[in-house]
Amino acid sequence: MKGSPIKIVVIITLAIVALIVALIVLNNNNSEYGEEQSFERQPSIDGQPTIGDSDAPVTVVEFGDFKCPACKAWGETVYPQLVSDYVDTGKIQFAFINVLFHGEESKLGSLAAESVYKQNSDAYWDFHNALFAEQPSDDHHSVWITTDKTLEVAGGIPNIDVEQLKVDVESNTAIEEVNKDTELVTEFEVQLTPTIMVNNTVIEDPFDYESIKQAIDNALKGN
Ligand code: CA
């Protein structure tokens, strides 16, 4: 009985310390994960390649780069889930906007993809996926996006006029489309690829599919 008051004081002190620690941890978590960046507007997908129902209530945009390994990984892991859960069910429309963070190769890949889109919008996604598939997994810094590579990739896809594509790539036919994408990259302050936006909200971690789902579900409720 003699030591009990001290024990009680110790227990209360420990409880208060634990509470303070818990509050600090919670606050940090809130500032790190709870505040996804939102813009007043969402990126216009006018003239962008899209998949999904054009009347879908929510729009998801990927700012991506054919030279970016994380974009390839995102396309192989998160994207298929997004398609089966939300595109195939008519809930979202998905669009891809080019980012040129890796210089001339990014530009060349984007010019080729935009040229394919202009030529035959139905062939766009096959080309897009096939070009990403060519990205070397061991050394992505090596030069691999060349005009010849884009033509080789296009040659494997039905209904692309490869001769026309050669002319278009060599004469920068789609440069206005590429520049338009770069303006969106600037407007939406894209710093990393892939950057995923659900309507006007930037997803903090593009590989956190649960947070993408949550943002889409919230946006669907708002509609
Ligand atoms: Ca575009």
Side-chain angles (χ1 to χ4, degrees), residues 47-49 96-98 114 177-178 181:
Q48 299 294 356
F96 183 85
I97 296 174
N98 294 292
E114 294 285 2
E177 297 305 313
V178 174
D181 288 7

Side-chain angles (χ1 to χ4, degrees), residues 32-102:
E32 276 175 36
Y33 301 110
E35 293 169 17
E36 287 178 327
Q37 189 181 9
S38 284
F39 287 83
E40 280 185 17
R41 304 196 302 130
Q42 63 190 70
S44 166
I45 58 165
D46 208 22
Q48 299 294 356
T50 59
I51 60 162
D53 186 344
S54 59
D55 292 328
V58 174
T59 302
V60 177
V61 168
E62 176 187 2
F63 288 92
D65 184 338
F66 292 106
K67 271 290 278 184
C68 144
C71 299
K72 183 183 184 183
W74 192 87
E76 290 172 353
T77 55
V78 180
Y79 176 76
Q81 301 179 67
L82 194 65
V83 169
S84 72
D85 290 346
Y86 293 103
V87 173
D88 292 346
T89 53
K91 292 175 180 168
I92 68 165
Q93 193 178 17
F94 177 86
F96 183 85
I97 296 174
N98 294 292
V99 182
L100 311 185
F101 285 169
H102 293 267

Side-chain angles (χ1 to χ4, degrees), residues 65-66 68 71-72 96 127-135 144:
D65 184 338
F66 292 106
C68 144
C71 299
K72 183 183 184 183
F96 183 85
F127 180 82
H128 173 111
N129 294 333
L131 188 57
F132 265 119
E134 290 292 317
Q135 185 188 108
W144 66 274

Side-chain angles (χ1 to χ4, degrees), residues 7-18:
K7 267 189 193 165
I8 288 167
V9 169
V10 168
I11 287 166
I12 289 172
T13 306
L14 285 176
I16 289 170
V17 168

Side-chain angles (χ1 to χ4, degrees), residues 20-223:
I20 290 168
V21 168
L23 284 173
I24 289 169
V25 168
L26 275 176
N27 267 336
N28 280 347
N29 276 346
N30 280 344
S31 58
E32 276 175 36
Y33 301 110
E35 293 169 17
E36 287 178 327
Q37 189 181 9
S38 284
F39 287 83
E40 280 185 17
R41 304 196 302 130
Q42 63 190 70
S44 166
I45 58 165
D46 208 22
Q48 299 294 356
T50 59
I51 60 162
D53 186 344
S54 59
D55 292 328
V58 174
T59 302
V60 177
V61 168
E62 176 187 2
F63 288 92
D65 184 338
F66 292 106
K67 271 290 278 184
C68 144
C71 299
K72 183 183 184 183
W74 192 87
E76 290 172 353
T77 55
V78 180
Y79 176 76
Q81 301 179 67
L82 194 65
V83 169
S84 72
D85 290 346
Y86 293 103
V87 173
D88 292 346
T89 53
K91 292 175 180 168
I92 68 165
Q93 193 178 17
F94 177 86
F96 183 85
I97 296 174
N98 294 292
V99 182
L100 311 185
F101 285 169
H102 293 267
E104 280 305 308
E105 281 178 271
S106 301
K107 185 176 166 189
L108 186 55
S110 301
L111 279 171
E114 294 285 2
S115 298
V116 167
Y117 181 68
K118 279 185 164 206
Q119 193 188 106
N120 176 3
S121 59
D122 289 339
Y124 173 83
W125 292 102
D126 284 342
F127 180 82
H128 173 111
N129 294 333
L131 188 57
F132 265 119
E134 290 292 317
Q135 185 188 108
S137 50
D138 48 348
D139 181 14
H140 62 270
H141 292 299
S142 62
V143 175
W144 66 274
I145 304 181
T146 59
T147 301
D148 284 349
K149 176 57 80 178
T150 64
L151 300 179
E152 179 196 316
V153 167
I157 297 163
N159 303 320
I160 297 179
D161 181 338
V162 177
E163 283 307 308
Q164 182 62 49
L165 182 62
K166 187 173 195 287
V167 172
D168 288 344
V169 169
E170 287 176 345
S171 55
N172 286 355
T173 302
I175 192 67
E176 275 183 32
E177 297 305 313
V178 174
N179 289 342
K180 186 171 137 186
D181 288 7
T182 300
E183 284 170 21
L184 290 167
V185 168
T186 304
E187 181 180 349
F188 290 92
E189 298 166 20
V190 173
Q191 307 284 338
L192 300 167
T193 50
T195 285
I196 304 300
M197 286 185 73
V198 174
N199 284 350
N200 62 334
T201 300
V202 179
I203 301 299
E204 180 145 344
D205 175 0
F207 288 92
D208 179 3
Y209 184 56
E210 286 307 310
S211 72
I212 296 175
K213 281 183 74 163
Q214 198 176 24
I216 294 172
D217 291 342
N218 286 343
L220 286 168
K221 273 183 221 153
N223 274 281

